[in-house]
Amino acid sequence: MINSKYFFQGFKSIKGLDSPALALGASFIAIGALLKNIGFNIEQSIFSTFLTYALPGSLVMAESFLIGASLINIFLAVWLVNTRLYPMTVSLMPLLLHKSQPRWKYYLSCHFIAVSAWLIMKKNYQSIEKKHRIDFWIGIGTGTWSIAIASTIIGFLASDYLNKDMMIGLAIVNPVYFTCMMVGAMKSLQISLSIILGAILGPAFFFISPEWSVLYGGASAGTIAYFIGEFK
Amino acid sequence: MSEMSSNIIVVILVTSFATYLSRFLGVVSSEKIKETSKIFKWFNCIAYSVLAALIARMVIFPAGELAESGVVIRLLVVAVSVVMFLFTKKNLVYPTVLSAILLSLLNSYL
């Protein structure tokens, strides 16, 4: 059903020098500690990472829960902050689609789409035959997802020992990892421009609309970069 | 189960549904998009720039604990880490470990 050779090849991406393990670990340790502090028990914390597996979404959930927001407001806030997963999925899944593979694999494994797994897949897909890419992807996804769940448990258990400076240190690891991966992904003019313009326009739009800044800034930066790349 | 804990379960379910929705709709759209098409390229650009926008926002206008450190310190730590990444032949372990230590130290002693 799933080709184990490609599955484990993907799974092993959590080892090695460009492993996302440290970055994912640091940020989900912080999530585990945060969930404990807002009153979740350990099963609920595990359940949360297991089912959501998207960092900004979990942060928004925690913030909204803390101020007692209504369910509809929580839904809208999380949906808004995780809308970025839509262009990420659309720019990944066509690379993995193969007619010989069953559809359930795609609908189930899209759960693994998160920045770290996405960046690793984007970096490595060309080295895998198209037919086997979905199994490779399921391997990457299972590996990164397991780290996130294990780290949530560690963070929950260790929360009493984490002081403020350590939490601040943990919180910078993820943006640093992502920034380095993005710098590493700058291999064509179009992608480099998308990244640089996104990093400028995202924060710029923050002054107009904090909630929508990532989407407005990202969509306009990506569109500008696309046209410059196509018509230069 | 107390009212509080069933409430937490509902919050988790709502959060995961709101998250899965974008992933699910992405797969539905992907069925009709060829990887060689212009629309795929356009979405690819948008995906990278949305991520760049998100990361820049996390550094410049952070939520949570990071907000308690100075923006100049955060930008400095990110810059030093990227330089280290480039100088260590794109090793990701050194810059990520360094960034945590550097920010913790700078934040407690500056």
Side-chain angles (χ1 to χ4, degrees):
Chain A
M1 210 157 53
I2 291 174
N3 185 316
S4 59
K5 179 185 157 207
Y6 293 96
F7 175 86
F8 283 110
Q9 197 181 337
F11 193 89
K12 277 192 278 185
S13 62
I14 61 176
K15 298 198 306 182
L17 291 181
D18 59 350
S19 165
L22 276 172
L24 266 174
S27 42
F28 279 92
I29 285 174
I31 285 283
L34 175 68
L35 293 180
K36 184 177 183 195
N37 292 337
I38 65 168
F40 280 40
N41 66 27
I42 189 156
E43 291 88 356
Q44 290 157 346
S45 306
I46 295 169
F47 191 55
S48 169
T49 299
F50 185 90
L51 277 188
T52 305
Y53 183 47
L55 204 66
S58 298
L59 282 174
V60 166
M61 176 191 74
E63 281 171 10
S64 315
F65 178 76
L66 211 55
I67 59 167
S70 67
L71 285 177
I72 184 77
N73 280 331
I74 294 179
F75 176 86
L76 289 174
V78 173
W79 175 75
L80 179 62
V81 76
N82 281 340
T83 324
R84 72 177 191 294
L85 296 168
Y86 180 76
M88 286 169 67
T89 308
V90 174
S91 59
L92 188 74
M93 281 301 173
L95 303 171
L96 316 184
L97 278 171
H98 194 269
K99 56 184 181 306
S100 71
Q101 295 282 7
R103 283 296 176 269
W104 62 263
K105 282 189 182 177
Y106 299 90
Y107 285 97
L108 209 59
S109 71
C110 67
H111 178 58
F112 299 140
I113 293 180
V115 185
S116 43
W118 187 88
L119 284 169
I120 299 170
M121 190 66 203
K122 280 292 210 183
K123 192 178 158 195
N124 293 307
Y125 77 89
Q126 278 163 327
S127 63
I128 310 287
E129 258 178 90
K130 197 167 184 188
K131 180 172 184 246
H132 298 295
R133 284 180 192 165
I134 185 70
D135 292 337
F136 180 72
W137 163 250
I138 293 172
I140 295 178
T142 310
T144 47
W145 187 49
S146 312
I147 289 176
I149 295 168
S151 307
T152 304
I153 299 172
I154 296 171
F156 187 95
L157 299 175
S159 71
D160 293 341
Y161 305 100
L162 294 169
N163 66 31
K164 184 145 264 155
D165 287 323
M166 286 158 80
M167 291 292 280
I168 292 173
L170 286 177
I172 196 72
V173 171
N174 213 29
V176 163
Y177 174 80
F178 289 161
T179 306
C180 292
M181 283 291 274
M182 297 292 260
V183 169
M186 291 186 181
K187 283 175 181 152
S188 71
L189 174 74
Q190 220 168 22
I191 300 302
S192 306
L193 272 178
S194 302
I195 293 170
I196 294 166
L197 290 174
I200 296 168
L201 291 183
F205 272 96
F206 192 85
F207 294 105
I208 300 164
S209 165
E211 289 99 10
W212 292 87
S213 63
V214 169
L215 287 180
Y216 285 169
S220 46
T223 305
I224 296 167
Y226 169 78
F227 282 112
I228 293 176
E230 288 299 287
F231 300 113
K232 76 167 167 83
Chain B
M1 204 156 58
S2 72
E3 201 187 317
M4 175 73 174
S5 68
S6 66
N7 188 18
I8 290 179
I9 299 290
V10 174
V11 166
I12 294 171
L13 289 174
V14 165
T15 302
S16 57
F17 177 69
T19 306
Y20 184 72
L21 194 60
S22 298
R23 292 169 170 146
F24 173 82
L25 293 175
V27 182
V28 174
S29 313
S30 297
E31 304 257 14
K32 297 178 202 80
I33 295 176
K34 283 212 174 72
E35 62 172 290
T36 47
S37 63
K38 286 191 186 320
I39 187 131
F40 177 79
K41 270 183 123 173
W42 180 54
F43 267 109
N44 198 33
C45 291
I46 290 188
Y48 276 103
S49 50
V50 165
L51 288 189
L54 176 74
I55 297 159
R57 198 199 141 157
M58 284 162 91
V59 175
I60 299 172
F61 304 106
E65 306 281 352
L66 263 190
E68 291 170 39
S69 60
V71 63
V72 178
I73 295 178
R74 291 194 299 270
L75 287 172
L76 178 75
V77 169
V78 172
V80 169
S81 304
V82 169
V83 170
M84 185 164 201
F85 170 71
L86 293 173
F87 272 95
T88 52
K89 294 183 186 147
K90 306 199 172 167
N91 179 314
L92 276 155
V93 177
Y94 297 137
T96 44
V97 172
L98 172 88
S99 67
I101 298 170
L102 200 58
L103 186 65
S104 290
L105 288 178
L106 288 175
N107 201 52
S108 33
Y109 294 108
L110 279 185

